[in-house]
């Protein structure tokens, strides 16, 4: 008798709390497939979400995180293709999901994955060494025009976001730089602080430590508006004091990297709805806000059509850069 | 049947040489030249492959020379008895891997350990089964419970409610 | 406030019941993770990260770093007892540790390994304590050409002298280099040598190859001789442990040299694995009994273990002070740091002294805790050798395959283990040295990347490797290590006929 009552109460509670996605809930432990090695940006992204879900009791089932970072993340996306229609595997990536197939011959296509949500936008900035002669992005571009191919940009990976951005700057301004790929953002930050490269286009988080120490400084940020207010980081300067590149006369409206969550293609719509709602809760949690502040990323929560059009625009813009550089894989 | 050292040396040298050829083929597809700004993607694999082929040829020649110089009373490299042991063990490994791929790690492992204890260790079947199952349970506790790492599962685990 | 005062404050933070408990838990879990091949320290640490969200950062890093030390200790255990390196950095420990254990001295081998590991770690922490600021500035001077020079030096130190046939060494080396170049190339962004197999996209994991070559390969060799372990498991006496400890001062020169090599490789981002190989190679060249290396020489255990641990601890410094992890585990911890809201970088020492010095103080304590705990497990592990082969053999097989599976959750890796098991057996039987293959897999692609980056920077001129005093002196030392032993060998060969006449 009492058991039935509590059961009914619980059922009503569930129905009231989550009427939109009561149709489907995971029946097995979830797998979070991370398209980077342990410790990478995408890995932190996935593990923060895992923590927020576990602590907020957003999803009852246990969660296992698996890193599949091989081939710049292609390993994870191939895994998604092999697990088509499996509703218990979420894939964590960036824009690499839809950009990789354009630059490399791979056995998957972007349509093998179903976008669920984008939860944050990571910004890109131009950074130079503290004692660099360049005060604005345009100083540097003029210098590059005067001596083509001598100013060295360090970046992480090849034909990835960093090199794409440098190529975009070159195509927009006609300047010519030299790009040298390293293994990761942290390494590129130190190469800059040590004076082995002239500049880099790291995300805020990757260069924060060196900026605090006054070893390097930012020139401008590739965003439509300045970054959010923050406590001063180096001297008087905080994130909001960094001008946008557009302000400085560099005609690139925005270049941002979304942090995205995907499902294998072919899952029913109620599964998608369930995860959209769950991630919505995550994006409202305190853990998530802390993560955004600590890593200096911009908040964004995109799902459904908004997400689809974001992806379409981002993909279209980037593919133009690829084609101009001759990187497109046939 | 015994294996003579010459056969083993020659087969190994041939295998490493073929590996070198495969590498050169793969590298040639990428381009192995030296561009203005340093080597192309296939540059290193190409020349490493060449070195491998060279060293393999050298090993082949040396094996052949040693073979010609050897007297008739050469000690067998792998006597029949040892060869049989290796073949049996390798066959068991092969079956273990194939079974693991089909039935999952837990079932494959339990089966393999049970079989070895029973057929090779001379333990009674119930004891062997206990050892095998016990080991699988220990694996489950360490990997899935303690470290939350999912191991490969086959068709049987879902029937027990383990995913 | 001097470093010493800061360290004392650090001890005040680290020595609380809560932190001591975390250290013990961390070390114990690390031991488990380290003993299981494949499931290495990086995996273990990343699994603990979600647990640390509820801890304050100092407690969290104490837990994670203790787990790392535990894993480093545990990794040597299986290297010595079963020839299966539990951690990549304990591959070099198998060379002499396993033969010594086979000759019935497993207690001695384990004790030597753990004690020198502990000493190495302490040497590393002392350097961090004294030279934190200086060392991180030094590391900043390392660009691509300097990286290449460091890798070259490690190669040269190890390859310089070997007793195997040069052509066979070359085969082993080139096979390793080819295996390392499979997958995505960082510098060109090209996918190489995958021949259309998606499984090869992520490259061939070094751990999987090592598990096959050493673990399965050794089992096959054991089986060939009949279904028994070749070693006689000796009885364990606590006396053996103490006798071995008393033996340690004899190897002070090896210990000191290896510790310095480890510190050097930990600060310059060479990493613990390269450090242990380099140290082993140099110890072999320096020893008058160099030829006996590989048969169970105590120096052959002391050298790699000391270097491995001093490099492992020193790798924390570039991670904290620069944000450059020089080992895979350090990379994971750095991810943790960022999640906790700490920014690795030069300012971390100034802005979060409690965190940094608490960690450094805990490194002293947890390494001592680690040595004690791991010594306590020696009888347990040595007793495992007495289990009949028909039972322990298949269990080792299963652990090898399970371990390989956990590296990348890929079934393809199971086939690779089988394949490399046969390769390892055959190579051993035919006197192909395995070590060059392993070293080439660890350093090959990194060295190639650094070389390629240097070429990009210099527009294809090799002069960049002699462009400044730092890089040229490392290159010169490397070249000397490569050439001098050959010259000495040649000289000895020329002299010998002369004395006969």
């Amino acid at each position: 008798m009492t058991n039935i009552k509590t059961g009914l109460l619980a059922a009503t509670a569930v129905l009231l709390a989550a009427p939109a996605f009561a149709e489907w809930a995971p029946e097995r432990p979830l797998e979070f497939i991370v398209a980077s090695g342990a410790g990478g940006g995408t890995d932190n992204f996935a593990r923060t979400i895992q923590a927020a879900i576990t602590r907020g009791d957003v999803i009852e089932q246990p969660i296992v995180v698996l890193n599949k970072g091989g081939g710049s993340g292609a390993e994870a996306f191939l895994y998604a293709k092999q697990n088509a229609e499996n509703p218990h595997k979420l894939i964590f990536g960036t824009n690499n999901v839809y950009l990789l197939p354009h630059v490399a011959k791979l056995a998957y296509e972007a349509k093998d994955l179903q976008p669920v949500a984008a939860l944050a936008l990571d910004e890109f900035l131009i950074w130079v060494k503290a004692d660099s002669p360049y005060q604005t992005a345009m100083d540097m571009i003029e210098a590059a025009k005067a001596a083509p191919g001598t100013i060295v940009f360090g970046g992480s990976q090849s034909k990835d976001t960093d090199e794409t951005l440098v190529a975009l700057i070159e195509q927009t301004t006609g300047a010519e730089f030299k790009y040298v790929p390293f293994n990761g953002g942290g390494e590129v930050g130190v190469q800059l602080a040590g004076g082995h490269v002239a500049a880099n286009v790291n995300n805020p988080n990757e260069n924060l430590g060196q900026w605090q120490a006054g070893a390097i400084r930012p020139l401008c940020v590739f965003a439509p508006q300045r970054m959010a207010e923050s406590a001063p980081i180096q001297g008087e300067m905080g994130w909001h004091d960094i001008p946008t590149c557009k302000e400085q006369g560099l005609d690139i409206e925005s270049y941002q990297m979304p942090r995205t969550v995907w499902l294998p293609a072919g899952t029913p719509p109620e599964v998608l709805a369930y995860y959209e709602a769950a991630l919505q809760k995550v994006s409202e949690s305190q853990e998530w806000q802390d993560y955004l502040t600590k890593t200096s990323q911009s908040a964004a929560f995109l799902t459904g059509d908004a997400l689809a059009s974001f992806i379409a625009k981002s993909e279209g813009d980037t593919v133009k850069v690829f084609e101009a550089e001759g990187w497109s894989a046939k | 049947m015994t294996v003579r050292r010459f056969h083993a040396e020659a087969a190994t040298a041939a295998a490493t040489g073929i590996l070198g050829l495969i590498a050169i083929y793969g590298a040639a597809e990428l381009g192995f030249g030296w561009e203005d700004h340093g080597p192309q993607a296939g540059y290193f694999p190409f020349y490493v492959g060449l070195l491998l082929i060279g060293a393999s040829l050298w090993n082949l020649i040396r094996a052949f020379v040693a073979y010609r110089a050897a007297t008739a009373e050469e000690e067998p490299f792998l006597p029949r008895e040892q060869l049989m042991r290796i073949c049996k063990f390798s066959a068991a490994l092969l079956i273990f891997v194939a079974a693991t791929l089909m039935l999952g790690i837990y079932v494959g492992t339990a089966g393999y350990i049970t079989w070895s204890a029973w057929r090779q260790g001379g333990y009674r079947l119930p004891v062997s089964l206990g050892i095998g199952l016990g080991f699988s349970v220990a694996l489950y506790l360490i990997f899935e419970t303690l470290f939350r790492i999912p191991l490969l599962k086959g068709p049987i685990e879902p029937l027990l409610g383990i995913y | 406030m001097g470093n010493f005062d800061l360290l004392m404050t650090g001890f005040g933070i680290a020595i609380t019941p809560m932190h001591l408990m975390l250290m013990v838990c961390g070390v114990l879990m690390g031991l488990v993770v380290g003993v299981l091949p494949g499931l290495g320290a990086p995996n273990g640490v990343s699994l603990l990260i979600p647990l640390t969200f509820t801890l304050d950062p100092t407690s969290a890093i104490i837990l994670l770093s203790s787990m790392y030390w535990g894993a480093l200790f545990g990794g040597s255990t299986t290297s010595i007892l079963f020839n299966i390196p539990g951690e990549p950095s304990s591959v070099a420990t198998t060379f002499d540790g396993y033969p010594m254990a086979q000759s019935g001295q497993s207690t001695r081998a384990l004790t030597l390994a753990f004690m020198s590991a502990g000493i190495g770690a302490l040497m590393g922490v002392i350097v961090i304590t004294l030279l934190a600021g200086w060392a991180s500035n030094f590391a900043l001077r390392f660009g691509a050409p300097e990286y290449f020079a460091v890798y070259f030096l490690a190669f040269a130190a190890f390859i310089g002298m070997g007793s195997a046939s040069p052509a066979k060494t070359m085969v082993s080396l080139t096979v390793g280099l080819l295996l390392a170049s499979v997958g995505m190339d960082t510098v060109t962004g090209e996918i190489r040598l995958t021949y259309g197999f998606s499984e090869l996209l992520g490259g061939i994991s070094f751990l999987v190859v090592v598990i096959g070559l050493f673990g399965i390969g050794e089992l096959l060799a054991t089986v060939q001789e009949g279904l028994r372990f070749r070693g006689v498991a000796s009885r364990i006496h606590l006396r053996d442990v103490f006798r071995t400890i008393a033996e340690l001062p004899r190897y002070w020169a090896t210990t000191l040299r290896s510790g310095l090599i480890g510190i050097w490789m930990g600060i310059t981002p060479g990493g613990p694995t390269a450090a242990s190989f380099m140290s082993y190679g140099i110890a072999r060249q320096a020893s008058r009994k160099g030829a006996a290396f590989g048969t169970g020489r105590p120096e052959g255990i002391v050298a790699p273990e000391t270097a491995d641990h001093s490099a492992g601890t020193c790798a924390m410094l570039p991670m904290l002070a620069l944000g450059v992890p020089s080992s895979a585990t350090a990379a994971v911890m750095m991810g943790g740091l960022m999640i906790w809201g700490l920014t690795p970088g030069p300012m971390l020492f100034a802005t979060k002294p409690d965190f940094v010095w608490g960690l450094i103080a805990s490194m002293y304590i947890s390494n001592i805790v680690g040595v004690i705990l791991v010594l306590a497990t020696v009888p347990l592990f040595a007793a495992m050798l007495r289990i009949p082969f028909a039972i322990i053999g298949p269990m080792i097989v299963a652990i090898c395959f399970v371990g390989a599976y956990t590296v990348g959750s890929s079934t393809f890796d199971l086939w690779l283990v089988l394949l490399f098991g046969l390769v390892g057996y055959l190579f051993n039987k035919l006197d192909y040295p395995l070590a060059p293959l392993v070293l080439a897999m660890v350093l090959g692609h990194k060295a190639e990347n650094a070389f390629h980056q240097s070429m990009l920077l210099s527009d294809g001129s090799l002069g960049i490797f002699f462009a400044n005093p730092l890089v040229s002196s490392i290159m010169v030392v490397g070249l000397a290590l490569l050439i001098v032993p050959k010259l000495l060998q040649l000289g000895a060969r020329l002299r010998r006929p002369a004395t006969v006449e």
Side-chain angles (χ1 to χ4, degrees), chain A residues 8-327:
Chain A
L8 277 175
L9 277 174
T12 345
V14 167
L15 282 175
L16 284 175
F21 55 93
E23 301 96 344
W24 188 85
E27 300 126 29
R28 300 180 184 187
L30 296 184
E31 261 180 39
F32 280 12
I33 311 298
V34 179
S36 84
T42 308
D43 188 49
N44 291 347
F45 167 58
R47 285 179 202 271
T48 308
I49 293 184
Q50 180 199 12
I53 287 178
T54 318
R55 264 205 261 160
D57 278 329
V58 180
I59 296 174
E60 295 286 315
Q61 293 286 347
I63 294 165
V64 188
V65 182
L66 288 180
N67 292 96
K68 287 189 179 283
S72 295
E75 203 187 346
F77 311 137
L78 274 166
Y79 184 78
K81 184 186 179 186
Q82 288 153 8
N83 286 283
E85 299 177 23
N86 187 328
H88 294 103
K89 294 183 198 285
L90 286 178
I91 295 93
F92 291 75
T94 57
N95 49 13
N96 49 3
V97 181
Y98 49 87
L99 293 183
L100 268 177
H102 290 289
V103 288
K105 269 185 260 170
L106 294 167
Y108 87 95
E109 289 170 75
K111 66 176 169 48
D112 291 321
L113 290 95
Q114 160 75 45
V116 180
L119 281 97
L121 292 174
D122 213 348
E123 306 289 355
F124 286 82
L125 294 87
I126 298 183
W127 303 84
V128 292
K129 202 161 180 270
D131 57 12
S132 160
Y134 316 122
Q135 295 304 322
T136 69
M138 291 319 283
D139 288 354
M140 205 172 142
I141 285 158
E142 292 311 321
K145 280 181 181 166
T150 52
I151 297 177
V152 182
F153 259 104
S156 68
Q157 313 294 340
S158 181
K159 298 177 194 169
D160 203 359
T161 47
D162 286 5
E163 191 171 6
T164 308
L165 177 54
V166 174
L168 184 61
I169 299 173
E170 290 179 339
Q171 290 171 17
T172 314
T173 62
E176 199 186 318
F177 295 98
K178 183 192 280 187
Y179 177 84
V180 180
F182 292 89
N183 280 316
E187 201 179 310
V188 180
V190 174
Q191 291 297 314
L192 180 58
H196 306 287
V197 297
N200 69 29
V201 285
N202 265 355
N203 307 122
N205 191 32
E206 294 167 335
N207 270 3
L208 175 59
Q210 299 293 348
W211 187 27
Q212 279 175 341
I216 58 174
R217 60 188 160 82
L219 292 183
C220 66
V221 57
F222 291 94
Q225 66 277 324
R226 291 185 175 203
M227 293 169 70
E229 290 281 355
S230 73
I233 290 162
Q234 160 64 30
E236 299 282 293
M237 226 176 154
W239 292 115
H240 186 69
D241 303 310
I242 304 169
T244 65
C245 294
K246 187 104 181 171
E247 280 176 49
Q248 291 191 342
L250 175 51
D251 195 21
I252 297 174
E253 175 74 28
S254 87
Y255 189 85
Q256 292 161 317
M257 181 173 72
R259 301 251 173 231
T260 51
V261 182
W262 304 69
L263 270 168
T267 55
E270 55 268 26
V271 173
L272 182 63
Y274 173 83
Y275 286 117
E276 281 175 358
L279 290 170
Q280 170 102 50
K281 273 194 195 167
V282 167
S283 73
E284 286 154 9
S285 70
Q286 190 57 43
E287 282 90 355
W288 185 252
Q289 295 309 321
D290 290 347
Y291 164 77
L292 289 180
T293 325
K294 284 168 184 171
T295 55
S296 316
Q297 302 188 63
S298 302
F301 188 77
L302 300 175
T303 53
D305 293 340
L307 179 60
S309 60
F310 177 91
I311 292 173
K313 179 168 185 327
S314 155
E315 189 174 356
D317 289 352
T318 320
V319 167
K320 263 184 243 154
V321 180
F322 289 165
E323 276 166 1
E325 290 293 312
W327 294 344

Side-chain angles (χ1 to χ4, degrees), chain C residues 6-236:
Chain C
L6 286 165
L7 181 66
M8 286 303 130
T9 329
F11 273 115
I13 297 162
I15 306 180
T16 62
M18 158 85 171
H19 285 161
L20 288 175
M21 196 197 71
L22 284 178
M23 285 179 210
V24 173
C25 291
V27 168
L28 283 177
M29 290 179 74
L31 280 175
V32 177
V33 166
V35 163
L36 296 168
L39 184 67
N43 273 320
V45 171
S46 56
L47 292 164
L48 277 186
I49 282 189
L51 289 183
T52 61
F53 290 151
T54 45
L55 298 170
D56 75 277
T58 312
S59 311
I61 192 82
I62 288 179
L63 178 67
L64 294 191
S65 60
S66 301
M67 180 168 199
Y68 184 24
W69 315 137
L72 286 181
F73 283 118
S76 330
T77 311
T78 40
S79 295
I80 291 173
L81 293 179
F82 303 114
N83 206 32
I84 307 169
E87 288 286 311
S89 54
S90 39
V91 172
T93 311
T94 60
F95 300 157
D96 276 278
Y98 184 64
M100 184 185 275
Q102 275 190 319
S103 66
Q105 303 185 61
S106 46
T107 315
R108 182 170 172 228
L110 288 171
T111 314
L112 276 176
F114 298 148
M115 286 307 293
S116 32
I119 293 168
L122 288 182
M123 287 172 73
V125 197
I126 290 171
V127 168
I128 294 188
T129 312
L130 298 178
L131 299 177
W134 176 83
S136 50
N137 280 335
F138 180 66
L140 263 189
R141 294 172 54 186
F142 279 71
E146 286 83 3
Y147 274 36
F148 176 76
V150 168
Y151 299 138
F152 176 72
L153 177 64
F155 251 117
F158 190 77
I159 304 292
M161 196 180 87
S163 47
S165 126
K168 287 184 171 174
T169 309
M170 181 58 82
V171 167
S172 178
L173 189 71
T174 46
V175 169
L177 289 173
L178 286 178
L179 290 174
S181 55
V182 174
M184 178 81 81
D185 177 36
T186 315
V187 178
T188 57
E190 301 268 3
I191 294 168
R192 304 194 295 186
L193 308 185
T194 57
Y195 305 97
F197 289 100
S198 310
E199 289 88 350
L200 291 175
L201 209 58
I204 294 177
S205 163
F206 161 72
L207 278 167
V208 171
V209 172
V210 163
I211 290 171
L213 282 181
F214 288 82
I216 302 294
E218 182 56 32
L219 278 171
L220 283 167
T222 311
V223 166
Q224 170 204 310
E225 299 300 327
L227 297 177
R228 270 185 299 109
F229 271 117
R230 280 178 277 173
V232 190
S234 60
R235 278 172 188 263
I236 310 298

Side-chain angles (χ1 to χ4, degrees), chain B residues 47-68:
Chain B
Y47 287 99
V48 168
L50 274 189
L51 278 176
L52 178 55
I53 293 174
S56 304
L57 279 178
W58 181 250
N59 283 332
L60 193 66
I61 292 167
R62 276 188 47 148
F64 197 68
V65 169
Y67 175 64
R68 295 292 295 270

